[in-house]
């Protein structure tokens, strides 16, 4: 079971858009030092849609090497092509990933039966755990509770990253799935509420720039200090909001650049953050206490 604050890693890039692996190595070290429990390379926050297959593999391999067994590496391996998702998952397994995070097929709009067969094909092709990634706001398709219960019968399918923002969902999944099932929030703003609904942690965007505070939220809950977890969540709320003022990961990459962690470059079609967005992100970093 993966627990705690898990960072959906940014992919640092040079001004020309090429991969900046030296910055990524320093960034991964810093994340681990700050208390991050696991890392997720090449998800949406890592700009996987605009990475080539070779770059995707390189980032996964580099992350595993840099983490060096200190924390689990959950590699992004999603695609709206089942064959491509299988290939990405197999590559992650060969590289030594602890698990793979596989998003619901986007754009094709498969039926629930198609969703089921997609994930089952990937699960049958590898031996490491799969975490389903349910984010209907981006993929359009929602993995129904019934489909999730069917999928959970496969021994390799061990959990879900839930980005539905529906706090009934973890309760419904707990009731429907007949085995221990790893439920992880994919929404920073609902991290504490998700824990209260029986969740295990959060795969976080905000943890890219506030890893220690995000880790403290999770640890406070584990320690039974609910009030402290809520106070920390309230403190982080302006940052959670600001980091989604424009399309992720543009605001959080800008925030990382303000903190000197990496450059702000994102690949097209993601445009640079607007002036209004820059003002909002800087104000949020200051309000949370991350500047100076």
């Amino acid at each position: 079971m993966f627990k705690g604050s898990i960072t959906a890693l940014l992919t640092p890039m040079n001004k020309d858009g090429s991969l900046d692996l030296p910055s990524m190595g320093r960034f991964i070290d810093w994340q681990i030092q700050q208390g991050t429990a696991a890392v997720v390379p090449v998800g949406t926050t890592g700009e996987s849609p605009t990475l080539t297959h070779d770059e995707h593999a390189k980032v996964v391999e580099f992350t595993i090497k840099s983490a060096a067994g200190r924390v689990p590496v959950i590699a992004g391996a999603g695609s709206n092509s089942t064959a491509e998702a299988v290939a990405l998952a197999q590559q992650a397994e060969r590289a030594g990933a602890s698990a793979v995070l596989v998003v619901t097929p986007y754009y094709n709009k498969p039926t629930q039966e198609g969703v089921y067969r997609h994930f089952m094909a990937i699960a049958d092709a590898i031996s490491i755990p799969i975490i389903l990634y349910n984010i209907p706001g981006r993929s359009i398709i929602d993995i129904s509770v019934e489909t999730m219960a069917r999928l959970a019968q496969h021994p390799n399918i061990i959990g879900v990253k839930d980005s539905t923002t529906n706090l009934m969902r973890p309760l419904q999944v707990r009731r429907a799935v007949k085995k221990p099932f790893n439920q992880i929030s994919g929404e920073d703003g609902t991290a504490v509420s998700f824990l209260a609904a029986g969740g295990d942690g959060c795969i976080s965007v905000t943890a890219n720039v506030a890893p220690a505070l995000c880790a403290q939220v999770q640890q406070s809950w584990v320690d039974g200090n609910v009030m402290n977890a809520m106070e920390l969540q309230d403190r982080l709320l302006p940052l959670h909001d600001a980091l989604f003022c424009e399309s992720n990961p543009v605001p959080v990459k800008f925030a990382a650049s303000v903190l000197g962690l990496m450059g702000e470059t994102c690949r097209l079609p993601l445009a640079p953050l607007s002036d209004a967005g820059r003002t909002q992100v800087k104000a949020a970093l200051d309000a949370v206490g991350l500047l100076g």
Side-chain angles (χ1 to χ4, degrees), residues 90-174:
Q90 289 174 330
Q91 183 276 323
E93 181 175 22
R94 288 193 300 270
S98 306
V100 289
L101 179 67
V102 183
V103 71
T104 312
Y106 41 88
Y107 191 76
N108 328 45
K109 296 182 72 174
T111 62
Q112 289 297 306
E113 183 63 23
V115 169
Y116 173 77
R117 295 186 183 200
H118 172 81
F119 285 117
M120 289 295 285
I122 301 164
D124 286 340
I126 60 173
S127 59
I128 59 175
I130 293 175
I131 298 174
L132 310 173
Y133 182 11
N134 195 24
I135 182 166
R138 278 189 183 254
S139 67
I140 304 300
I141 298 300
D142 183 13
I143 308 173
S144 71
V145 173
E146 294 75 18
T147 299
M148 202 166 294
R150 288 179 71 197
L151 288 167
Q153 294 175 34
H154 196 294
N156 286 358
I157 297 177
I158 60 102
V160 61
K161 176 186 176 183
D162 186 323
S163 295
T164 64
T165 71
N166 176 4
L167 291 171
M168 286 291 290
R169 185 59 64 88
L171 300 172
Q172 294 164 340
V173 170
R174 283 173 58 204

Side-chain angles (χ1 to χ4, degrees), residues 3-165:
K3 297 184 177 184
S5 179
I6 302 167
T7 304
L9 291 175
L10 293 163
T11 301
M13 295 176 182
N14 298 304
K15 288 184 177 180
D16 63 0
S18 60
L19 299 179
D20 180 4
L21 294 182
S23 289
M24 187 159 199
R26 292 189 294 270
F27 185 57
I28 292 167
D29 284 341
W30 179 69
Q31 284 286 325
I32 295 169
Q33 291 161 9
Q34 293 287 299
T36 293
V39 292
V40 181
V42 291
T44 308
T45 304
E47 296 179 72
S48 59
T50 56
L51 298 182
T52 67
H53 288 175
D54 286 345
E55 287 172 331
H56 190 287
K58 184 179 290 187
V59 170
V60 170
E61 291 165 2
F62 184 85
T63 301
I64 292 166
K65 182 178 179 181
S66 297
R70 291 175 290 171
V71 297
V73 175
I74 306 167
S79 174
N80 60 343
S81 160
T82 302
E84 184 174 274
V86 165
L88 292 172
Q90 289 174 330
Q91 183 276 323
E93 181 175 22
R94 288 193 300 270
S98 306
V100 289
L101 179 67
V102 183
V103 71
T104 312
Y106 41 88
Y107 191 76
N108 328 45
K109 296 182 72 174
T111 62
Q112 289 297 306
E113 183 63 23
V115 169
Y116 173 77
R117 295 186 183 200
H118 172 81
F119 285 117
M120 289 295 285
I122 301 164
D124 286 340
I126 60 173
S127 59
I128 59 175
I130 293 175
I131 298 174
L132 310 173
Y133 182 11
N134 195 24
I135 182 166
R138 278 189 183 254
S139 67
I140 304 300
I141 298 300
D142 183 13
I143 308 173
S144 71
V145 173
E146 294 75 18
T147 299
M148 202 166 294
R150 288 179 71 197
L151 288 167
Q153 294 175 34
H154 196 294
N156 286 358
I157 297 177
I158 60 102
V160 61
K161 176 186 176 183
D162 186 323
S163 295
T164 64
T165 71

Side-chain angles (χ1 to χ4, degrees), residues 168-234:
M168 286 291 290
R169 185 59 64 88
L171 300 172
Q172 294 164 340
V173 170
R174 283 173 58 204
R175 184 173 181 176
V177 174
K178 306 304 181 185
K179 72 176 187 182
F181 199 64
N182 203 179
Q183 296 201 71
I184 306 170
S185 172
E187 295 286 344
D188 280 294
T190 64
V192 174
S193 303
F194 198 86
L195 290 169
D200 301 303
C202 182
I203 295 179
S204 171
V205 172
T206 300
N208 278 284
V209 293
L213 290 172
C214 291
Q216 288 167 31
V217 169
Q218 297 290 324
Q219 190 59 50
S220 292
W221 182 269
V222 170
D223 293 342
N225 195 341
V226 176
M227 289 306 299
N228 193 56
M230 293 175 67
E231 287 168 5
L232 288 166
Q233 184 79 343
D234 288 346

